[in-house]
Amino acid sequence: MKKNRKNLALLLLAASLLAGCAGQSNSQSSQSSQAKSEKKAESKASSKSAAKSAASSAVSSTKSSSSQASSKSAASSSQRADVNRMGTLTSQLRVKLPGMLLPAADGLGQGSSNLNIRYTSSSSQNVVYYSVGNSPLALNDSRIASEKPYAVLTEKKNVADASSLINYQEPKTGLPAVKIASNVTGTEEGAAGSTYLQFNQGQWSFVVRASNVQGQKPLPTAQKLLALYQQYGLPDTAAKSSVQVDVGESLGSLNTVITWAKGSSVYQLKAHSMETAFKMLKSLK
């Protein structure tokens, strides 16, 4: 009897141990399954996040490209409009002033969309005024007269003595020499509170005037003038012609004066800056 009880106890103990091992195994299996599920969920979430980020990046890139294309298109349209305005007004001028040489370029760095032009004409001369207003106006609109011109082109017709109007300066001797570039030397002289620096190239004389009272120096302006001449050139002329520049550029100053002969006419362009003048004359036809 005692033996049977002992055997029964041993059997119960063994059953208990087996049950515990099975429970532990199930628990580990459950934990493993749960971990796998969590990793799978994390992987899906990560994939969704990456896909969403990629999509967002693609949309952003597309918007940026679209914006850049739109900006380039707008700039291109604006440039075309500026060119067309100068071209349109010049075409109208050619009808009004047949035979007169006119620039195809306005010479401006900005403001071309509000370019305005007026002119006067008589049997002896034509005068064209170029200005920038608050808005584009029709050719010769009366309101343009109140705007300061940045350039004025004059044609004096049927001139008997062109030299009296051109004011060409022969090369000077006996004056202090000033080196303007490696192969260009000018002369300098003072008079009436000013310093004049002159150099000559081909048929052209170049004179730069600086105010002593204002502490101006002519050499930097003369060097820039020479560089512009070498870059853009000047109109063809059979007669000796001239370029005169006062140091200092400002709106309406017209400190650059270029005068030359073409046939029986004498042309003169006054401009508020040297670069504007050279750009306009480069496109003359």
Side-chain angles (χ1 to χ4, degrees):
M1 188 69 173
K2 289 181 179 180
K3 187 177 181 180
N4 290 336
R5 288 181 178 176
K6 186 176 181 179
N7 289 336
L8 180 60
L10 289 173
L11 288 172
L12 290 173
L13 178 60
S16 176
L17 288 172
L18 288 172
C21 288
Q24 185 175 1
S25 177
N26 290 337
S27 175
Q28 290 176 347
S29 177
S30 175
Q31 290 176 356
S32 177
S33 298
Q34 183 177 358
K36 287 181 179 180
S37 297
E38 289 176 352
K39 286 184 179 179
K40 189 173 182 181
E42 288 177 359
S43 178
K44 286 183 178 180
S46 177
S47 297
K48 288 182 178 180
S49 176
K52 185 176 180 180
S53 176
S56 175
S57 177
V59 170
S60 177
S61 177
T62 300
K63 287 182 177 179
S64 176
S65 298
S66 176
S67 176
Q68 291 176 357
S70 177
S71 297
K72 288 181 179 179
S73 177
S76 178
S77 297
S78 176
Q79 291 173 354
R80 287 196 300 271
D82 294 347
V83 171
N84 289 341
R85 178 154 182 78
M86 180 63 177
T88 298
L89 292 173
T90 302
S91 295
Q92 294 172 7
L93 268 179
R94 294 193 191 284
V95 175
K96 303 293 183 181
L97 307 173
M100 181 179 181
L101 292 174
L102 295 169
D106 59 30
L108 294 170
Q110 59 182 4
S112 296
S113 59
N114 287 335
L115 169 71
N116 290 319
I117 298 176
R118 68 182 180 91
Y119 71 92
T120 60
S121 182
S122 68
S123 59
S124 60
Q125 71 174 19
N126 298 321
V127 185
V128 182
Y129 302 85
Y130 297 83
S131 60
V132 175
N134 295 322
S135 60
L137 299 172
L139 178 67
N140 248 24
D141 188 293
S142 60
R143 290 170 290 180
I144 301 175
S146 64
E147 298 174 355
K148 285 185 177 181
Y150 70 83
V152 178
L153 178 62
T154 301
E155 177 195 16
K156 291 188 179 294
K157 298 180 278 187
N158 303 315
V159 176
D161 181 15
S163 61
S164 63
L165 298 173
I166 293 176
N167 196 29
Y168 171 84
Q169 300 292 309
E170 294 288 350
K172 301 290 195 301
T173 58
L175 293 173
V178 177
K179 189 174 183 179
I180 299 171
S182 59
N183 59 343
V184 179
T185 301
T187 57
E188 188 176 85
E189 65 178 323
S194 298
T195 299
Y196 295 84
L197 178 54
Q198 176 184 333
F199 63 95
N200 292 61
Q201 295 284 286
Q203 292 281 78
W204 293 85
S205 68
F206 300 79
V207 178
V208 176
R209 186 188 74 84
S211 169
N212 297 335
V213 176
Q214 298 180 36
Q216 297 173 341
K217 302 295 181 183
L219 182 56
T221 299
Q223 290 172 328
K224 181 180 178 182
L225 177 58
L226 176 61
L228 288 169
Y229 169 68
Q230 293 173 338
Q231 179 180 357
Y232 293 101
L234 283 168
D236 292 332
T237 175
K240 293 179 177 180
S241 302
S242 69
V243 179
Q244 297 174 308
V245 177
D246 284 353
V247 175
E249 298 179 351
S250 60
L251 180 63
S253 63
L254 303 180
N255 282 347
T256 296
V257 181
I258 300 175
T259 313
W260 73 101
K262 184 70 173 179
S264 62
S265 294
V266 171
Y267 284 86
Q268 184 179 83
L269 177 68
K270 295 181 178 181
H272 75 137
S273 83
M274 293 186 293
E275 187 168 4
T276 292
F278 276 89
K279 286 181 177 178
M280 293 180 76
L281 292 183
K282 177 69 174 179
S283 68
L284 203 68
K285 57 185 178 180

